[in-house]
């Protein structure tokens, strides 16, 4: 089902963050209906660095292509600022579509951007961002959704964020994402203001500016999509930290065994038996 069609349903869409073939495979097997390719998760895992605009558009497109090889689910792709001005954003649209994205999220920060939950962000003008959205809409070759994000709450205040969001819908945004509301009341006001105009996205960042709500509560407020972009990295980083400490201390993985897949367990999780059976089917002997 196309992402646009799925968003016409009244059930909120939960898109967990992924950043490679493994996380895409595991999230797909868990039964989600869409994935979120998080720029933060790519920076955290590939670079071991913060989400401050260090990853390149081509690194992101390569990652998208690997995920599309491994999962048939629609992928919402983080396009940051579009990597520059409107012309850069047009090119980002075309290359991310080619890599397999079903939706591109673009934000009104200056380039290079930073995580929406870090301080000291700066914005391009409302008019520049509106033109960037229109440029991306004109450049797309498929029914790729444009998710317009404003980071204005932290920079210009809540009312300005609402004004910007209205302008971005007028410019052609298919989905609205107001980044980092500071409390549940602000989340509720966003839903009340824009419900019924375009689908609304909420972003749950553990320990970030917005208190964590469940998908059920966000749906009751009026949200249509919720992303959990970096949760998987926070979970895996914590496990990796504990794993390396344990291995260093014990000189073996025996103390950690009940927190790990063994050889067969991992092979099962990534579909090794099915791949080997497929190989046999095409090995010229049957
Ligand atoms: C949504 C986001 O842009 C992302 O890169 O996934 C980040 C999330 C994060 O930093 O954990 C954001 O700016 O909110």
């Amino acid at each position: 089902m196309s992402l646009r069609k799925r968003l016409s349903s009244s059930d909120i869409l939960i898109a967990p963050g992924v950043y490679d073939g493994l996380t895409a495979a595991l999230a797909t097997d868990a039964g989600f209906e869409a994935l979120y390719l998080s720029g933060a998760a790519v920076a955290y895992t590939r670079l071991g660095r913060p989400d401050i605009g260090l990853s390149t558009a081509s690194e992101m497109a390569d990652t998208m292509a690997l995920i599309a090889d491994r999962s048939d689910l629609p992928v919402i792709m983080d396009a940051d600022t579009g990597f520059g001005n409107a012309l850069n954003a047009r090119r980002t649209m075309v290359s991310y579509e080619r890599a397999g994205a079903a939706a591109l999220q673009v934000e009104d920060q200056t380039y290079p951007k930073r995580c929406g939950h870090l301080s000291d962000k700066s914005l391009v003008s409302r008019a520049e961002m509106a033109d960037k959205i229109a440029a991306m809409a004109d450049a797309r070759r498929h029914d790729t959704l444009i998710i317009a994000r404003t980071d204005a709450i932290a920079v210009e205040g809540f009312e300005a964020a609402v004004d910007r969001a209205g302008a971005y819908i007028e410019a052609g945004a298919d989905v609205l994402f107001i980044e980092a509301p500071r409390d549940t009341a602000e989340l509720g006001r966003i839903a009340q203001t824009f419900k019924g105009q375009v689908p609304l996205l909420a972003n749950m960042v553990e320990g970030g500016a917005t208190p964590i709500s469940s998908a059920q509560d966000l749906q009751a407020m009026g949200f249509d999509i919720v992303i959990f972009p970096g949760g998987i990295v926070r979970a895996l980083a914590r496990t990796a930290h504990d794993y390396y400490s344990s291995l260093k201390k014990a000189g073996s993985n025996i103390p950690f065994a009940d927190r790990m897949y063994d050889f067969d367990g991992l092979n099962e999780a990534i579909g090794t038996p099915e791949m080997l059976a497929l190989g046999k089917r095409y090995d010229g002997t049957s």
Side-chain angles (χ1 to χ4, degrees):
M1 188 193 301
S2 79
L3 193 55
R4 193 183 291 279
K5 184 139 187 267
R6 171 59 183 81
L7 290 177
S8 62
S9 136
S10 57
D11 284 345
I12 193 165
L13 179 67
I14 306 178
V18 297
Y19 57 86
D20 63 4
L22 177 65
T23 50
L26 296 174
T28 302
D29 288 350
F32 290 101
E33 296 171 84
L35 306 175
Y36 179 77
L37 172 48
S38 156
V42 170
Y44 298 151
T45 57
R46 288 187 72 168
L47 311 181
R49 294 288 183 197
D51 180 21
I52 50 171
L54 299 172
S55 310
T56 64
S58 42
E59 283 169 342
M60 289 295 290
D62 287 350
T63 306
M64 178 62 242
L66 292 174
I67 289 171
D69 283 353
R70 192 62 184 83
S71 172
D72 291 332
L73 293 180
V75 179
I76 299 172
M77 195 171 170
D78 185 357
D80 289 349
T81 63
F83 296 88
N85 65 16
L87 295 182
N88 299 104
R90 281 174 61 93
R91 181 150 188 254
T92 301
M93 169 57 84
V94 173
S95 69
Y96 285 13
E97 275 191 321
R98 195 171 50 227
L104 262 66
Q105 171 208 305
V106 62
E107 72 213 19
D108 57 6
Q109 289 194 46
T110 51
Y111 174 81
K113 58 77 57 80
R114 50 177 50 209
C115 164
H117 296 257
L118 291 173
S119 48
D120 297 330
K121 297 186 287 185
S122 64
L123 307 182
V124 299
S125 73
R126 186 169 100 160
E128 183 177 340
M129 178 62 180
D131 277 355
K132 191 181 275 189
I133 292 166
M136 291 174 79
D138 288 345
R140 67 188 150 184
R141 294 171 178 168
H142 304 286
D143 190 22
T144 305
L145 301 182
I146 297 176
I147 302 178
R149 161 171 149 180
T150 179
D151 282 66
I153 291 182
V155 186
E156 299 174 343
F158 188 81
E159 295 310 327
V162 167
D163 280 357
R164 280 177 174 263
Y168 302 164
I169 294 173
E170 247 173 60
D174 301 291
V175 175
L176 179 64
F177 172 4
I178 299 192
E179 173 68 307
R182 294 162 291 198
D183 50 35
T184 314
E186 284 190 351
L187 268 173
R189 282 172 67 196
I190 291 167
Q192 276 157 24
T193 311
F194 293 104
K195 203 171 159 180
Q197 294 189 38
V198 287
L200 305 176
L201 181 149
N203 178 21
M204 295 291 113
V205 174
E206 301 78 12
T210 309
I212 300 291
S213 302
S214 68
Q216 294 80 350
D217 289 346
L218 290 162
Q219 176 171 323
M221 277 182 221
F223 284 91
D224 303 279
I225 308 176
V226 54
I227 59 171
F228 290 86
I232 182 61
V233 185
R234 292 187 186 92
L236 288 175
R238 175 81 170 268
T239 302
H241 172 270
D242 294 350
Y243 166 81
Y244 289 125
S245 307
S246 165
L247 177 59
K248 177 81 173 59
K249 196 163 147 214
S252 97
N253 283 328
I254 294 168
F256 213 77
D258 60 351
R259 296 182 59 194
M260 296 169 63
Y261 279 129
D262 68 3
F263 185 77
D264 286 345
L266 179 60
N267 279 320
E268 195 63 44
I270 61 171
T272 304
E274 291 83 350
M275 281 299 273
L276 295 181
L278 195 62
K280 274 212 160 50
R281 190 169 135 202
Y282 296 120
D283 70 358
T285 63
S286 54

